[in-house]
Structures are given as structure tokens and as C-alpha cells.
Amino acid sequence: MTMSDVIQNINRAFQPTGPLVKIKSQALADFNKYGIPTVKHEEWKYTRVSGLLQVPFAIQAENDIEPELLQQYLLPCSKDGYLINFENGKFASSALSIEGVTILPLAEANQSDFSALVDMHLGRSGKYHPDGINAMNTAFAEFGAFLFVKKGQKVDKPVYINYISDNRSVPTLSMPRMFVYISQGAEIEIVEHFISLGTQDCFTNQITEVVVEQDAVVNHYKIQNEGPFASQVSTTHFTQIGKSLTNATTISLSGNVLRNNLNMVMEAEHGESHMYGLYLLDGKTHCDNHTIVDNVMPHCFSNELYKGIMDGESTGVFNGKIFVRKDAQKTNAYQSNKNVLLTDMASANTKPQLEIYADDVKCSHGCTIGKLDEEALFYLRARGISERNAKSLLLHAFAVDILENIKSEPLRAYVDQLISERLEFNF
Amino acid sequence: MLKITGLHASIEEKQILRGINLEIKPGEVHAIMGPNGSGKSTLASVLAGRAQYEVTGGTVDFMGKDLLDMSPEDRAREGVFLAFQYPVEIPGVSTTNFIKTAVNETRKYRGLEPLDAVSFLKTMKEKMKLVNIDQSLLSRSLNEGFSGGEKKRNEIFQMAMLEPKLAILDETDSGLDIDALRIVANGVNQYRNKDNAFLLVTHYQRLLDYIVPDFVHVLYNGRIVKSGTKELAMELEERGYDFIKNELAVSEGA
């Protein structure tokens, strides 16, 4: 299968109808113009997606997923939350009722009272990702969903968004799309989780765009823990249009190729955002975290801390961009990336990129790539702790400060358990 | 209990220990003194199993077993404890969890059931008194942000929790003020009994005012060049290490 076959297949699957046709058609034109990024593309230097797409995928495939089967794949803690499911890229939940929250198919939202919001904000991540991947998703936006939280509403339980691929019989290409609007003073916790049911290749090209108004608080989590045949490009794009607080935590535990784009656009003064990431990789998993903080307005604060543990032949990539536009005086932007390599075959690439056009700002960045501290390991072993447990203790200690940022107690406990199991902690 | 015979060790091709012979019996306290660079800390490290050192000759028998053949954790479980000169700060590992893991892994090795939460806490409370250590310190990350004195007290506390047969104290007195030194020494003295033994590695005689040794050995250039009782330590304090060097020069010249 060639690249032009892939492009043809996307064009064939495209439906030039419906309420979102204008933005979709533009996106398809962009897709055809940009094509699929190769490693020659600066932003895709370390992450090869073109080969992954050269598979005879069923695109946004029809499916019939038995609820009992799906049940086994949900995060155990999600039973205490609200569930939104996407099946093969299509919004599949209809009967969800949350106080103060409206959930609609995106195509419907575009014809409702919310159409002005959709027109204004949908697709804003495209500016930051001028590539065929972002455009490809937008070309299928009609399958997406819109989530609106009304003014002052504090959503009582976390909302779990599950992106489910039914790759049991055929390889699947899915393009789920979320547009979330958090009104003034509202609060919400959102957990995005990827599920695949089979062992055929599956590729999920997902975008969530979140607009955050004044005094709103968003806690966002992403959990990636799939088999070695599942790949993702997962884009989360926040626009803070009022002074607000956004926390985003990305936990990547397994999969084939995982590319996470996390953008924070600080369009209002005194915005605050925290970005945390933990990638705990083994086998041949490749995980690439690209973050962008775009300080447009003055007095914003952002902090990011990404930590990676690479075992086996895995690869971790961190690319952290910080823009400080010329009006964004008094910006505080901090960034740190720390990596531990457990084998000689594992690798880490880390690149901070600061573009600062204002003169009164505080920005810092730092990165480390190393092995476990030998002296610490010896100290633990000299107290009778086995080498394996000593390593587990140190790695857990390394990872734990990321988990501390997960506000939802059941989710934090669950992720902690996953990590402890992975680290084979054994008294 | 411990019998070191002809021990040679090097680090990065550099020979540090050049034939150490030393025997320690239950109930004894031995002090190893010597000028900087004489190999004191190397000896402590080699006994505890620090990987950077290569043993190039000799044997170490601990309670009838070949100590040098064991992993660091097995040496600890067999009853060898090293109080570190520079205890390591480990953020994210709580002191209490660390000690509990260490105690229970050691108990498992010795064929004992793990301590349940209640008896572990009870034992901890008891041993905390030994070195005047505070509960709040133990709920913090291991050694993180501890003062020098707190770190050394924590070492002695760990010793008391793990109940070793042989405790090696590597410059435990360094960096301690007189009050902290007293607390640490007091902890050691309370733990001392007829069945266990101590090897104190120190540069100064000061510690030996508080923990009185049965034997004092002077290490110089990778060998024990003089052994005696606590009076030898006094003499060293008075005359400095030069007198040993001079004596050696004279005897080697003759």
C-alpha cells in the first residue's frame, strides 16, 4: 500500500455533506495539500506515522460492540463517573444526563444555540499543527461530540471519555473529535482513555479542543495503556479565554506509537496551567509528547513536568515549546523533563524550544537523561532490600510526584496500582 | 564472627587495600583509624559490597560464610550493617516504608513472618527512643532535607531496627556537633551487647570518648600497621598520624 492509496482512501471515506461541510471541506483540502507527515517534517522528526497508516484500514468503521464485552475494558474507577464513548471514532453515547452539562453530537451542536461557539472555536488547534494528521481528523468532525458546562456548574463526578477501537476483525482508523466548552466559574474533571478490543492494527487520530472561560477549573487526564498494535496521535488543545486554571496529566504506559500533542493557549491575563506527564515504556513502545504553551497575554503562569522511564527497546520523546508573544509581559513559564533509561537499547530524545518576544519574563527549562542512581540503589540494597525491589522503589519514587497531581482519588489509586504492577514491586 | 585475611581491593585499577588482616569476635568493638586516603572507607565499602570496588585478593569469613561471595542485600540480611558516611537522600521513598521493606525482606530471608503493622509500629517507637528521632522525620522522604545530625541518627535508628550482628560505622562522627555525637554514641552503646560487634571507622579519637573500643587499629597505605587498645587512639590524638609514618619509615629503613 502506498501513501497515495492512503490519501485516496481518506478522500473516498470523506462525506461532503451535512452542517459542518464548510470546515470539513477546508480540512480535506488541507489534508490533500499537507499529506501525511514524514520524519523530514520538523515536528515529526522522531515519530514515524506514515508507515503506520499504510494499512488497509476500515475508516470510521461501522461496529457492533457488545456492552458486556466493553465493560471488561473500562477503567474500574470509571464506574463512579460519567461515561462518554466513541466507537471507531464515532460518538456513541446519547442518553447521558449530567446536571448543568449539555452533550450533543457535534453536527447537531452546529445547528443549535451553540452554533456560534462551534463556529468560533472548532478547529483552532489546526493553526498549531499545519499537517495532514490534524486536518484528517477535522475532515471527519461530523462524528464528534460537543460538551458544554454551564456557568458556575461544578460537575460532581469525573467524565470519562473512552475512545474504543473495534479492531477484532479488521484494522481500524478512527478519528474521534471532542469540543468542550467550560463556562465561567465551572469546574470539571475529564479522563480520556483509549481502548482497543482486538489484535488487528488500530490507529486513533483524536483531537479534543477545550475552551476555558474566566474562573473555570479543568482537570484533564489521559490514560494510554493498550496493546502493541494500537497507535495514536492524540491532540488536546486548551484555549484559556479568561483567567482560569487548567491541569493536564498524561499517563502513557503501553501501546505501539503514541504521539501526544498538548497545547495551552493563554489568551487571557493571569491564566494558569500545569502540565504533567509520565511515560513508563517497555518493549518497542514509542511515546512522543509534544507540548506547546503559547503565552499571548501578560501575567500567565505555566509549569510542566514530564518524566519518562524507558525499558526494553522503547523510546521516549519530549518536545516542549514555549512561545511568549510580545505583549505577554510578566510571563512565568517553567519546563522540566527527566528521563531514566533502564537498558542500553532504550532511548530518550528531549528538546526544549523557547521563543520569547517579550522582555520581562521568567522562563526556565531543564532536562536530564540518565540511569538509576547507583549510590541510592546500593543504599537500599545495603539495608537488605533486593536489587529488584530497590529498583522498583526508586522508579516508583521517581514517578510518584506525577501521580500526586491526579485529583480524583480512585483514578490516582488505579494508576498507582498499574504502575506498581508494571514495576513488579514485590515485598 | 568476622575474619578478614589478606584482603586486597582496588578501585579503577588503583590499589587501595594491600593485605588487611583482622578478626572480630562477638561483643567486641574495634576502631579503625588512619589518615585520609589510608583505605578506611574502602574497607567499610568492600565489606558492605559496594560494586565500584574490586576485590583482588584475600578472604572475608562472616559467621562461617564467604562474605565476598554475597550480594549487598544478602550481606545485610546475614547481619552486616553499614552506617553510611554520606547517607543518600531519596525523594519519594518514605522513610517508614523503606524501613518496613528492609525489615520484612530481612525477616523473610531469616525465615521469619513479616511484622504486621501493629508490631512494626511498636518496634519502631521503641527504637526511635534510642536516638531521639522524631515521628515526623520518619514520615518524610528518606533523608531528604535532613540535617547532618538527623541523617546520622537515622542510620543508627535503621541499625537498631535491622538488628545486625556486625555494625560498621563509617565516619559516623563526621559533621556532628557534640550533642548529636552524644545522641548517636548513646544509641550505639545501648545497642551494644555480648552477641554483636562493631567496627568503627573514624579519623578522630573524639568518637572513642563516647564509644569505648576494645581494640584500635591504625590503617596506613592499605595495611593495618599498628594495633592496640584505646590508649593507642589517645596517643594518635596527641602525636598525630606522623608518628606512625615516622615509625614505619624507621622500621622499613632498618
Side-chain angles (χ1 to χ4, degrees):
Chain A
M1 203 175 172
T2 66
M3 220 51 239
S4 66
D5 293 334
V6 177
I7 289 170
Q8 263 181 33
N9 287 348
I10 295 292
N11 277 273
R12 219 173 287 139
F14 179 76
Q15 293 170 5
T17 53
L20 292 162
V21 69
K22 202 174 143 212
I23 182 172
K24 278 162 33 99
S25 300
Q26 179 59 49
L28 187 74
D30 288 343
F31 169 73
N32 288 328
K33 182 176 78 182
Y34 297 130
I36 309 289
T38 67
V39 290
K40 286 181 197 144
H41 193 299
E42 183 58 30
E43 300 301 324
W44 297 86
K45 197 172 158 186
Y46 297 106
T47 301
R48 189 181 292 274
V49 285
S50 53
L52 294 172
L53 285 163
Q54 289 170 30
V55 170
F57 285 122
I59 300 170
Q60 301 288 85
E62 288 306 318
N63 62 83
D64 188 14
I65 300 169
E66 306 86 329
E68 307 76 46
L69 176 75
L70 183 57
Q71 207 60 37
Q72 301 166 23
Y73 288 86
L74 299 178
L75 294 176
C77 45
S78 69
K79 67 177 192 302
D80 301 317
Y82 300 111
L83 291 188
I84 292 178
N85 290 343
F86 280 79
E87 296 177 359
N88 289 351
K90 298 170 179 171
F91 173 52
S93 310
S94 48
L96 188 62
S97 160
I98 310 174
E99 196 190 340
V101 175
T102 307
I103 299 171
L104 292 171
L106 197 47
E108 214 173 289
N110 195 37
Q111 291 184 309
S112 68
D113 296 344
F114 300 110
S115 66
L117 294 181
V118 177
D119 286 343
M120 191 185 301
H121 296 289
L122 186 68
R124 289 185 64 172
S125 63
K127 181 180 141 196
Y128 293 86
H129 302 287
D131 59 53
I133 296 288
N134 189 285
M136 191 204 290
N137 177 294
T138 304
F140 295 87
E142 75 267 32
F143 298 106
F146 171 64
L147 186 153
F148 177 85
V149 186
K150 75 169 194 192
K151 190 174 167 180
Q153 181 68 44
K154 298 192 172 31
V155 180
D156 60 338
K157 294 187 284 192
V159 176
Y160 286 81
I161 307 176
N162 296 304
Y163 301 111
I164 304 147
S165 295
D166 184 0
N167 55 338
R168 285 174 292 177
S169 53
V170 287
T172 57
L173 171 59
S174 307
M175 285 165 286
R177 180 68 169 238
M178 277 298 301
F179 174 42
V180 179
Y181 196 95
I182 319 290
S183 304
Q184 186 178 344
E187 285 181 23
I188 190 167
E189 271 189 290
I190 297 171
V191 186
E192 293 187 292
H193 177 224
F194 295 84
I195 293 170
S196 43
L197 304 176
T199 53
Q200 299 279 335
D201 284 351
C202 69
F203 191 106
T204 305
N205 173 10
Q206 166 260 331
I207 299 178
T208 295
E209 291 173 325
V210 187
V211 178
V212 191
E213 280 193 354
Q214 170 105 10
D215 299 327
V217 179
V218 187
N219 286 297
H220 174 269
Y221 314 101
K222 187 186 291 180
I223 313 290
Q224 294 167 311
N225 188 24
E226 285 181 283
F229 31 76
S231 295
Q232 281 138 35
V233 178
S234 170
T235 302
T236 314
H237 182 89
F238 289 94
T239 310
Q240 296 191 330
I241 61 170
K243 171 188 175 289
S244 53
L245 170 63
T246 305
N247 301 307
T249 306
T250 306
I251 308 284
S252 308
L253 300 176
S254 66
N256 180 19
V257 172
L258 308 172
R259 164 62 178 258
N260 297 311
N261 298 316
L262 175 60
N263 308 335
M264 292 283 176
V265 182
M266 322 284 280
E267 284 189 0
E269 288 189 43
H270 298 286
E272 182 178 339
S273 68
H274 300 262
M275 305 152 89
Y276 303 99
L278 174 66
Y279 39 105
L280 173 54
L281 314 175
D282 59 9
K284 291 183 191 273
T285 300
H286 176 106
C287 179
D288 175 354
N289 281 294
H290 263 61
T291 67
I292 298 175
V293 181
D294 189 1
N295 293 277
V296 180
M297 293 296 280
H299 295 287
C300 287
F301 174 93
S302 68
N303 182 39
E304 47 189 317
L305 174 62
Y306 273 74
K307 288 187 165 188
I309 299 172
M310 271 64 70
D311 202 349
E313 298 171 41
S314 62
T315 306
V317 180
F318 175 79
N319 188 104
K321 249 188 212 176
I322 298 174
F323 295 107
V324 182
R325 307 290 176 189
K326 73 176 190 328
D327 293 332
Q329 299 293 2
K330 306 280 182 194
T331 288
N332 282 288
Y334 305 101
Q335 183 188 89
S336 169
N337 174 228
K338 296 178 179 172
N339 297 283
V340 176
L341 300 178
L342 297 180
T343 67
D344 292 337
M345 300 291 281
S347 62
N349 298 290
T350 176
K351 184 178 172 191
Q353 272 179 285
L354 275 57
E355 290 188 26
I356 301 172
Y357 303 99
D359 52 15
D360 185 12
V361 302
K362 279 186 195 149
C363 290
S364 75
H365 64 87
C367 52
T368 57
I369 300 175
K371 297 190 169 183
L372 274 182
D373 180 352
E374 287 291 333
E375 186 60 13
L377 204 54
F378 176 62
Y379 187 63
L380 298 178
R381 293 177 71 190
R383 296 296 176 257
I385 298 174
S386 71
E387 185 176 8
R388 204 181 81 172
N389 280 347
K391 280 184 178 167
S392 298
L393 263 177
L394 291 179
L395 291 173
H396 190 268
F398 175 77
V400 79
D401 60 346
I402 299 294
L403 304 190
E404 280 163 6
N405 299 294
I406 300 179
K407 307 268 183 308
S408 160
E409 216 289 328
L411 180 65
R412 187 175 60 243
Y414 175 70
V415 174
D416 199 354
Q417 183 198 329
L418 284 181
I419 286 167
S420 298
E421 281 168 14
R422 268 287 288 284
L423 296 174
E424 296 183 342
F425 197 48
N426 176 26
F427 288 106
Chain B
M1 176 185 282
L2 182 80
K3 190 161 195 271
I4 305 174
T5 314
L7 185 64
H8 286 69
S10 63
I11 184 164
E12 289 163 358
E13 310 280 301
K14 193 176 168 224
Q15 199 68 38
I16 310 282
L17 301 183
R18 303 160 191 270
I20 302 268
N21 296 299
L22 179 66
E23 187 168 358
I24 299 177
K25 295 196 173 74
E28 293 178 350
V29 174
H30 291 244
I32 298 263
M33 301 184 70
N36 287 330
S38 58
K40 301 185 303 278
S41 283
T42 299
L43 177 61
S45 291
V46 167
L47 292 177
R50 197 186 287 268
Q52 292 93 318
Y53 293 93
E54 195 192 344
V55 175
T56 52
T59 58
V60 179
D61 178 288
F62 179 69
M63 319 268 301
K65 290 182 181 163
D66 179 0
L67 190 73
L68 300 177
D69 196 35
M70 291 181 211
S71 65
E73 53 268 40
D74 279 352
R75 297 179 197 204
R77 295 158 177 175
E78 287 286 343
V80 176
F81 179 90
L82 172 67
F84 279 52
Q85 184 179 0
Y86 304 107
V88 185
E89 297 198 11
I90 309 185
V93 172
S94 99
T95 309
T96 306
N97 279 348
F98 154 72
I99 293 173
K100 197 170 179 189
T101 309
V103 166
N104 282 339
E105 279 206 46
T106 301
R107 287 180 66 90
K108 195 170 156 194
Y109 181 87
R110 294 176 185 169
L112 301 168
E113 287 294 309
L115 284 182
D116 61 58
V118 177
S119 26
F120 175 76
L121 284 176
K122 193 169 157 253
T123 314
M124 233 177 54
K125 281 231 165 77
E126 236 168 69
K127 312 283 181 176
M128 278 157 58
K129 282 186 210 139
L130 270 184
V131 281
N132 238 341
I133 210 163
D134 197 60
Q135 178 67 49
S136 64
L137 211 57
L138 300 181
S139 56
R140 281 163 53 184
S141 283
L142 185 52
N143 291 325
E144 194 187 24
F146 286 25
S147 71
E150 286 169 338
K151 282 179 184 165
K152 296 296 171 84
R153 269 150 59 193
N154 191 16
E155 293 294 287
I156 302 306
F157 168 66
Q158 290 171 34
M159 178 194 78
M161 286 300 291
L162 291 166
E163 302 185 326
K165 300 187 181 84
L166 173 68
I168 304 163
L169 274 47
D170 188 5
E171 310 231 2
T172 295
D173 51 334
S174 70
L176 291 188
D177 63 32
I178 205 74
D179 292 331
L181 183 63
R182 257 194 211 122
I183 293 172
V184 164
N186 187 36
V188 170
N189 287 330
Q190 287 190 52
Y191 182 65
R192 188 173 171 177
N193 65 42
K194 66 177 181 15
D195 298 318
N196 59 31
F198 286 85
L199 183 61
L200 312 175
V201 173
T202 182
H203 189 78
Y204 300 105
Q205 185 266 342
R206 191 175 73 147
L207 176 71
L208 308 182
D209 287 342
Y210 296 95
I211 309 172
V212 180
D214 300 301
F215 301 96
V216 174
H217 312 278
V218 180
L219 194 61
Y220 180 63
N221 232 343
R223 283 193 199 96
I224 291 176
V225 293
K226 204 173 172 73
S227 294
T229 55
K230 63 176 194 282
E231 283 73 27
L232 176 58
M234 311 279 249
E235 194 176 354
L236 282 171
E237 182 73 10
E238 223 166 86
R239 301 173 63 184
Y241 285 108
D242 280 347
F243 100 90
I244 297 277
K245 294 179 191 172
N246 293 339
E247 264 183 25
L248 277 174
V250 168
S251 67
E252 270 166 24

